[in-house]
Amino acid sequence: MTDAEHDRKLDELDRLLNDPDTRLEPARVWTLLAEVSQTPAFAPRSGIPGSPPAR
């Protein structure tokens, strides 16, 4: 996934969760979360503050 695609998905997720004029679509939220969590920058143990160190 390119950075632009990743940013677009995060923007959509933000809109779904925070825009009162947008209907919440739980299935779409979960799909977007699954997709963005697969990117290396957001994968578990990627050096995100508070995440456990890689073994």
Side-chain angles (χ1 to χ4, degrees):
M1 173 181 329
T2 66
D3 286 343
E5 290 171 326
H6 187 264
D7 290 344
R8 203 167 30 253
K9 289 174 191 254
L10 287 177
D11 288 344
E12 182 180 356
L13 184 59
D14 181 60
R15 183 179 49 79
L16 285 167
L17 293 173
N18 297 309
D19 184 353
D21 295 327
T22 300
R23 183 177 171 199
L24 181 62
E25 299 176 46
R28 183 67 181 145
V29 169
W30 286 113
T31 298
L32 288 165
L33 285 170
E35 290 172 359
V36 298
S37 69
Q38 296 302 314
T39 59
F42 293 93
R45 301 175 192 240
S46 64
I48 297 172
S51 66
R55 295 181 185 206

